[in-house]
């Protein structure tokens, strides 16, 4: 059984069949999905800034794969890459951008391998050659 955790700029969306894995804070949203109500849900607002709290989707009599496929059906996917840069002291490079700590990453450009994209983005965003 596959669990899904989707991270985006605004929140985390967890899709699971295991209620014990849900660590819900008071502002988080818990949705129970089943084969009768799945088609009634519009998950799109959870992937943008309309909803800034974590979302937990508990799958009742339906597979997590089916809920995941339904939840992302209207999303546009963009090829991107980034990197985790660790120095000799085992410190990880982060950047502070838009009031959030983040790893360097960015969009893939035509003709690049995904590895080339990752290296270029680290160089462009942090000024480091890899």
């Amino acid at each position: 059984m596959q669990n899904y955790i989707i991270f985006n700029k605004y929140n985390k969306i967890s899709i699971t069949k295991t209620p014990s894995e849900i660590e819900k804070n008071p502002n988080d949203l818990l949705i129970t999905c089943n084969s009768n109500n799945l088609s009634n849900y519009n998950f799109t607002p959870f992937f943008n800034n309309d909803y800034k709290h974590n979302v937990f989707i508990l799958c009742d009599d339906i597979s997590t794969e089916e809920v995941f496929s339904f939840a992302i059906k209207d999303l546009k996917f963009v090829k991107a890459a980034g990197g985790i840069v660790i120095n000799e002291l085992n410190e990880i490079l982060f950047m502070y951008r838009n009031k959030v700590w983040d790893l360097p990453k960015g969009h893939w450009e035509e003709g690049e391998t995904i590895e080339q994209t990752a290296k270029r983005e680290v160089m462009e965003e942090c000024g480091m050659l890899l």
Side-chain angles (χ1 to χ4, degrees):
M1 168 183 32
Q2 174 74 42
N3 288 335
Y4 294 90
I5 300 177
I6 305 162
F7 294 93
N8 64 43
K9 186 175 181 180
Y10 309 102
N11 58 18
K12 175 178 81 171
I13 301 164
S14 301
I15 303 173
T16 184
K17 287 185 87 66
T18 314
S20 62
E21 293 184 10
I22 296 174
E23 300 172 8
K24 190 174 173 302
N25 292 318
N27 292 327
D28 294 343
L29 178 63
L30 174 61
I31 298 170
T32 301
C33 273
N34 59 48
S35 55
N36 293 324
N37 69 8
L38 178 62
S39 61
N40 297 330
Y41 284 112
N42 176 13
F43 293 103
T44 304
F46 302 137
F47 292 99
N48 58 38
N49 65 0
D50 292 344
Y51 198 82
K52 292 186 171 54
H53 303 288
N54 295 326
V55 178
F56 295 92
I57 302 169
L58 181 59
C59 303
D60 189 12
D61 65 346
I62 193 168
S63 73
T64 56
E65 291 82 2
E66 189 173 349
V67 173
F68 175 76
S69 295
F70 183 84
I72 65 167
K73 69 180 174 35
D74 295 324
L75 297 179
K76 175 185 171 193
F77 284 87
V78 176
K79 275 190 177 182
I84 297 175
V85 180
I86 302 173
N87 69 12
E88 62 278 351
L89 300 174
N90 243 8
E91 298 170 324
I92 299 174
L93 174 67
F94 283 89
M95 24 182 262
Y96 192 71
R97 176 176 54 186
N98 300 326
K99 300 180 183 178
V100 176
W101 287 100
D102 202 357
L103 296 169
K105 62 187 175 299
H107 294 103
W108 169 81
E109 292 181 2
E110 187 74 35
E112 285 183 327
T113 66
I114 206 72
E115 292 83 8
Q116 290 169 328
T117 300
K119 288 180 179 180
R120 178 182 51 75
E121 287 296 333
V122 169
M123 184 187 73
E124 288 177 2
E125 295 191 356
C126 300
M128 300 183 71
L129 293 176
L130 301 177

